[in-house]
Amino acid sequence: MGKKYNSKTIFDYTVGNDLDGHSIDELENNPNFMMDVIKITHDKKMYNLCSDDVKKNCDFVEFLIEFFKDDLDFIINIADNYIQNPDVDVIDKEEIKIFIGNFYDNDKYSALEKYKVSSYGFYNSVVTDYTAILYEMPDSERESCSLFRIIELTFFDRKVIKDYFAKNMVYEYLCENLECSFADLIHYYFNDISTLESYGETNFLLFYLSSNDRFLRDYLSVHPNLLESYCKDIEKVKKDWNNYNNRLNFDRVQQVIDYIFECLSSEYFPFNTNLFEILIDAINPLGLKDIFDKNISLEDKQIMEDDNEDLFLGCSDENFECNDYLDEEEKKSFEYLSFIIKIRNFAKKTFSKRQLVNSNNEEEPNIPDKVDKGRRKVIQYDFTNRCPINNNDD
């Protein structure tokens, strides 16, 4: 560490005055002094006056990249000189690649893509190696460790690298490996916006991520800025909340109607009647009539109300009574009531099911327990308002 300097020393150096008690070599070998000089002068040429040791200083290079980030050619030259220097530590080089990659933008900074690609290669390599180490640990040790914990211990004094790994892992857990849309995930856990806001967007993200890596959760709780983009995504979900529910209801109504036609085309049903009447009888006890009225298409409703014998493909002529409307005795028959119950059960299951599947994947992914553990005991459900009905017997 060189002698202490003051603002007068910086001024004297920049204008070429005598330096009281300091030598030029000493000052030009001090990264903090050269940073202060550059902050005052905004002169890139000062970089050429720095000693080789200063040019190899990771903090100094990061300062230059950020300070002159609008001069692409200059910072690429600085970064390349640093990365290609055989005397620079390998991890320091990786940190600089990550740091400069943070300024990458498809439109403005596309020339920096090579650093971002290289950094991601470094990330993948480390994650692959450390995952293997984690699985080789005895069960007792693995329980008190995690992938991010190993990363923290390895790069304990390198915030740039830890932040980079944390952001990549969060992206994998919330986007890349999520077997549903981000909006589906939010709607799975919360029935309404007020409950979400009461719980807190950041708290929810930390809760969800804790099931993947509790040490990552702990790190993010201290550095919540790494979750800002996902909090903004939640804001978008909140703004689209009603539209999401409307789209969801429309899709579910269509599933119920398709199921009715599917049953009629494959099973015995000895009546020809108004299918819309059957649908209403099935959904009325569930409180779904308003939702169906809003979401059933005029075309589907017309088809269901028409007397169309071709729809009843599972019925033979001798068992087929052509009635546009059934009398009360026919409606009490075992075949009719069984069919109504079957449609009702399908509608109840369809409207109760949380939307957590992709169009390309019909299986629900493994997810942690709900935010509100009481929901697991819910039997009754208010389909109109999309919220559970509390069961006081639990």
Side-chain angles (χ1 to χ4, degrees), residues 92-222:
D92 285 337
K93 293 180 181 182
E94 296 298 341
E95 180 169 330
I96 289 301
K97 291 177 187 177
I98 292 170
F99 192 83
I100 195 172
N102 289 338
F103 295 101
Y104 167 74
D105 178 86
N106 283 324
D107 298 323
K108 192 174 181 181
Y109 296 115
S110 58
L112 305 181
E113 184 175 6
K114 63 180 181 180
Y115 303 108
K116 193 168 187 179
V117 170
S118 179
S119 297
Y120 194 68
F122 170 65
Y123 166 81
N124 276 331
S125 176
V126 170
V127 167
T128 299
D129 291 344
Y130 288 2
T131 300
I133 292 173
L134 191 64
Y135 278 104
E136 289 173 1
M137 288 181 177
D139 291 343
S140 57
E141 292 182 19
R142 194 185 310 150
E143 288 178 1
S144 60
C145 194
S146 77
L147 176 59
F148 191 77
R149 181 57 175 164
I150 301 175
I151 290 167
E152 271 191 303
L153 294 173
T154 304
F155 306 109
F156 68 95
D157 60 343
R158 295 178 179 272
K159 185 176 182 299
V160 171
I161 294 180
K162 288 188 294 185
D163 283 1
Y164 178 73
F165 274 73
K167 285 193 291 186
N168 275 296
M169 291 176 71
V170 169
Y171 176 79
E172 290 176 0
Y173 293 137
L174 291 179
C175 301
E176 200 169 80
N177 298 338
L178 194 64
E179 297 179 11
C180 63
S181 73
F182 188 72
D184 289 337
L185 180 70
I186 303 303
H187 281 269
Y188 179 83
Y189 281 97
F190 299 97
N191 286 312
D192 52 64
I193 295 176
S194 61
T195 306
L196 170 58
E197 290 178 337
S198 176
Y199 193 82
E201 288 85 350
T202 301
N203 284 339
F204 167 70
L205 294 171
L206 292 173
F207 156 79
Y208 183 81
L209 291 167
S210 66
S211 66
N212 296 286
D213 192 319
R214 62 190 177 91
F215 289 98
L216 174 63
R217 183 272 317 274
D218 292 343
Y219 186 81
L220 293 168
S221 66
V222 180

Side-chain angles (χ1 to χ4, degrees), residues 40 82 155 201 391:
I40 296 295
Y82 185 83
F155 306 109
E201 288 85 350
N391 191 333

Side-chain angles (χ1 to χ4, degrees), residues 245-246 248-261 275-302 304-305 343-352 383-384:
N245 288 336
N246 291 337
L248 195 58
N249 284 333
F250 178 84
D251 290 341
R252 287 171 170 172
V253 166
Q254 195 59 54
Q255 288 177 45
V256 174
I257 294 172
D258 290 345
Y259 183 71
I260 292 176
F261 290 124
L275 293 183
F276 190 69
E277 185 178 315
I278 288 179
L279 174 64
I280 297 302
D281 284 347
I283 65 173
N284 257 338
L286 302 176
L288 292 172
K289 187 176 183 301
D290 287 344
I291 290 178
F292 273 78
D293 285 343
K294 290 178 182 177
N295 291 284
I296 189 170
S297 69
L298 292 176
E299 181 181 1
D300 281 336
K301 186 175 181 181
Q302 185 65 48
M304 298 183 79
E305 288 179 332
I343 300 304
R344 183 178 301 159
N345 287 339
F346 181 84
K348 182 177 181 180
K349 179 181 177 182
T350 301
F351 277 82
S352 297
F383 297 105
T384 302

Side-chain angles (χ1 to χ4, degrees), residues 199-372:
Y199 193 82
E201 288 85 350
T202 301
N203 284 339
F204 167 70
L205 294 171
L206 292 173
F207 156 79
Y208 183 81
L209 291 167
S210 66
S211 66
N212 296 286
D213 192 319
R214 62 190 177 91
F215 289 98
L216 174 63
R217 183 272 317 274
D218 292 343
Y219 186 81
L220 293 168
S221 66
V222 180
H223 303 93
N225 59 297
L226 300 177
L227 294 173
E228 284 180 357
S229 64
Y230 299 99
C231 289
K232 291 179 181 178
D233 288 339
I234 293 179
E235 288 299 318
K236 294 177 183 177
V237 172
K238 286 161 61 177
K239 289 179 180 178
D240 193 53
W241 198 272
N242 291 333
N243 289 333
Y244 177 95
N245 288 336
N246 291 337
R247 292 192 300 270
L248 195 58
N249 284 333
F250 178 84
D251 290 341
R252 287 171 170 172
V253 166
Q254 195 59 54
Q255 288 177 45
V256 174
I257 294 172
D258 290 345
Y259 183 71
I260 292 176
F261 290 124
E262 179 185 335
C263 291
L264 289 172
S265 66
S266 60
E267 297 182 5
Y268 173 74
F269 182 68
F271 304 107
N272 177 24
T273 187
N274 185 317
L275 293 183
F276 190 69
E277 185 178 315
I278 288 179
L279 174 64
I280 297 302
D281 284 347
I283 65 173
N284 257 338
L286 302 176
L288 292 172
K289 187 176 183 301
D290 287 344
I291 290 178
F292 273 78
D293 285 343
K294 290 178 182 177
N295 291 284
I296 189 170
S297 69
L298 292 176
E299 181 181 1
D300 281 336
K301 186 175 181 181
Q302 185 65 48
I303 292 174
M304 298 183 79
E305 288 179 332
D306 283 347
D307 177 18
N308 189 341
E309 296 182 17
D310 293 337
L311 295 174
F312 301 86
L313 302 178
C315 306
S316 59
D317 291 338
E318 57 268 23
N319 294 323
F320 200 71
E321 297 182 17
C322 293
N323 300 316
D324 287 339
Y325 300 98
L326 304 180
D327 59 34
E328 292 304 314
E329 288 302 314
E330 288 171 322
K331 286 189 176 184
K332 293 177 182 178
S333 70
F334 174 79
E335 292 87 355
Y336 183 82
L337 292 177
S338 295
F339 190 70
I340 292 292
I341 291 172
K342 189 170 188 176
I343 300 304
R344 183 178 301 159
N345 287 339
F346 181 84
K348 182 177 181 180
K349 179 181 177 182
T350 301
F351 277 82
S352 297
K353 184 180 181 182
R354 291 288 183 174
Q355 197 76 355
L356 257 186
V357 292
N358 283 333
S359 58
N360 297 325
N361 187 349
E362 296 181 355
E363 296 183 1
E364 285 197 3
N366 292 325
I367 55 173
D369 291 341
K370 314 293 185 295
V371 171
D372 180 2

